[in-house]
Amino acid sequence: MRAMVYRGPYKIRVEDKQMPSIEHSNDAIIRVTKAAVCGSDLHLYHGMMPDTRVGMTFGHEFVGVVHEVGASVRSLKPGDRVMVPANIYCGSCFYCARGLYSNCHNVNANATAAGALYGYSHTVGGYDGGQAEYVRVPFADVGPSVIPEWLDDEDALMMTDALATGYFGAQLGEITEGDTVVVFGAGPVGLFAAKSAWFMGAGRVIVIDHLNYRLEKARTFAHAETYNFVEIDDIVVHLKRATDYFGADVAIDAVGAEADGNVIQHVTAAKLKLQGGSPVALNWAIDSVRKGGVISVMGAYGPIYSAIKFGDAMNKGLTLRMNQAPMKRQWPRLLEHIKAGYLKPNEIVTHRFPLEDIAEAYHVFSAKLDGCIKPVIIVGDQ
């Protein structure tokens, strides 16, 4: 089969790779029809995530058609059109029993530190991902779901991670009616978090970024008030002025490890790899919320330490909430919003590339070229 293959930082290509096979009776083999490149895939592409091995296939956002199932799979059959959550999980361990699918204890040799994801380094399990013609899906009765007939493939694709993560970010913010919510980052997760904040009762939603085309999308898609931090002397002071020097009630970090805005933080994290990530957006969130406010962290960071302002967080009595999103837990409510017409997830998709051109997709997305917000990879016949 043809698959995206990692060959080192900034080096990916499409190669012939051995077809995945059923390794356990609970497995399924999915023929991928569409995949997406996630902002967190760029952390792998840039060489920022530990134990990203040459030869790995990335991709934790994909939909497809069931090609083959193991002997014990009961909920799927060949030919079913399915969406597959980014998390791999068993459905029965201590964490899964509590809906914490992203923290499953049975799917990763590093389980005391992290759960498992498709195509996201051996730190989170070492499973190949869906930027390929076929992918092996463990615990096939637990993760994948048949896509409702009324739901478009690209809308389903957004539910496998970006939409579910953005919605979860707003949930963790514990938003109450009338709250002011600041979202740092106008990428796909930030856009969905801003949109979701309104569903949860926010009275004001502000989005911060440095790319004007993404801020324009935040205004039209998420109906948010926007600020470009490079056009403002001090974004924290600006946000305090904009909230009567009180601060926002909730801040959502939808940027993560490669945040711009502070040269020292960016160089020590992205270039020298001395931190698990550049916590610029997280530190701005800590400084710009009111005392007693809530910070929701959806941006991805590596496992080593980062220079986060915990003293400020402690002195302000903040609540910091974070986790990898348990994607499937969000799906029932998101399907209601989509079916009711409150949300059209594929409105954030800006680019579509065939699998053979996936290196160009990564380059365009990484360099923020051509107004790119979300690239989708067209893999096989629809």
Side-chain angles (χ1 to χ4, degrees):
M1 69 167 184
R2 301 290 282 169
M4 169 270 173
V5 175
Y6 176 70
R7 289 294 170 195
Y10 293 89
K11 296 176 183 174
I12 62 169
R13 58 194 187 210
V14 177
E15 298 179 4
D16 289 325
K17 194 167 183 176
Q18 186 174 357
M19 177 88 175
S21 59
I22 300 289
E23 297 179 15
H24 187 281
S25 61
N26 288 332
D27 288 350
I29 304 299
I30 305 298
R31 176 173 60 81
V32 179
T33 53
K34 286 187 170 71
V37 183
C38 178
S40 57
D41 286 329
L42 296 181
H43 304 329
L44 301 169
Y45 178 64
H46 296 157
M48 290 195 65
M49 289 296 159
D51 210 1
T52 303
R53 300 184 187 179
V54 168
M56 185 170 206
T57 296
F58 299 165
H60 53 271
E61 300 178 337
F62 57 92
V63 297
V65 176
V66 176
H67 175 72
E68 183 182 4
V69 296
S72 64
V73 174
R74 295 290 177 266
S75 63
L76 300 178
K77 63 182 185 306
D80 283 342
R81 190 171 64 109
V82 292
M83 50 187 182
V84 182
N87 322 112
I88 300 169
Y89 57 100
C90 73
S92 58
C93 71
F94 173 90
Y95 298 99
C96 289
R98 289 156 177 79
L100 300 170
Y101 308 139
S102 56
N103 305 114
C104 178
H105 212 55
N106 286 331
V107 288
N108 182 6
N110 302 307
T112 57
L117 292 169
Y118 292 96
Y120 209 80
S121 84
H122 281 66
T123 303
V124 289
Y127 298 86
D128 268 339
Q131 291 169 3
E133 289 182 317
Y134 294 88
V135 59
R136 182 177 76 91
V137 172
F139 299 102
D141 276 329
V142 178
S145 285
V146 174
I147 300 173
E149 286 189 10
W150 55 267
L151 186 65
D152 177 79
D153 266 4
E154 282 192 355
D155 290 335
L157 178 61
M158 295 301 104
M159 292 180 63
T160 62
D161 179 11
L163 172 56
T165 296
Y167 190 81
F168 183 59
Q171 277 185 329
L172 289 190
E174 301 175 344
I175 297 166
T176 58
E177 189 172 352
D179 274 356
T180 295
V181 179
V182 177
V183 179
F184 290 92
V189 170
L191 292 170
F192 285 133
K195 184 90 170 181
S196 301
W198 293 114
F199 297 153
M200 297 174 196
R204 186 181 182 187
V205 178
I206 302 169
V207 174
I208 309 297
D209 204 292
H210 67 294
L211 299 171
N212 284 325
Y213 75 89
R214 290 191 172 195
L215 292 173
E216 170 63 23
K217 193 68 175 180
R219 291 191 290 275
T220 58
F221 175 76
H223 311 292
E225 180 181 337
T226 63
Y227 297 107
N228 186 328
F229 67 79
V230 300
E231 297 173 355
I232 294 169
D233 284 342
D234 187 324
I235 190 63
V236 171
V237 172
H238 186 81
L239 286 169
K240 288 185 176 177
R241 286 185 184 135
T243 54
D244 295 329
Y245 292 95
F246 200 62
D249 301 289
V250 176
I252 301 171
D253 170 7
V255 181
E258 295 187 72
D260 289 310
N262 182 301
V263 173
I264 294 175
Q265 293 273 27
H266 185 74
V267 169
T268 56
K271 304 300 181 186
L272 302 178
K273 315 291 191 290
L274 297 175
Q275 299 192 72
S278 166
V280 178
L282 180 52
N283 286 337
W284 284 346
I286 289 170
D287 285 340
S288 60
V289 293
R290 64 169 171 79
K291 287 175 285 188
V294 178
I295 307 284
S296 166
V297 184
M298 288 297 100
Y301 291 88
I304 66 171
Y305 61 82
S306 296
I308 297 167
K309 302 177 77 171
F310 277 117
D312 286 359
M314 185 272 177
N315 290 325
K316 292 175 72 173
L318 304 184
T319 298
L320 275 68
R321 305 191 68 198
M322 64 206 79
N323 200 351
Q324 298 283 351
M327 311 302 173
K328 194 170 180 178
R329 206 175 77 192
Q330 323 306 320
W331 288 359
R333 190 67 174 139
L334 290 173
L335 286 171
E336 289 179 8
H337 285 313
I338 296 169
K339 195 168 189 178
Y342 300 142
L343 180 64
K344 182 62 176 153
N346 79 338
E347 287 180 0
I348 72 159
V349 175
T350 54
H351 291 67
R352 296 166 182 85
F353 296 87
L355 177 62
E356 294 295 327
D357 293 342
I358 196 168
E360 178 67 6
Y362 270 80
H363 172 63
V364 169
F365 192 30
S366 172
K368 310 292 188 294
L369 301 176
D370 194 31
C372 187
I373 294 176
K374 187 68 172 176
V376 165
I377 308 301
I378 309 300
V379 179
D381 297 335
Q382 305 305 296

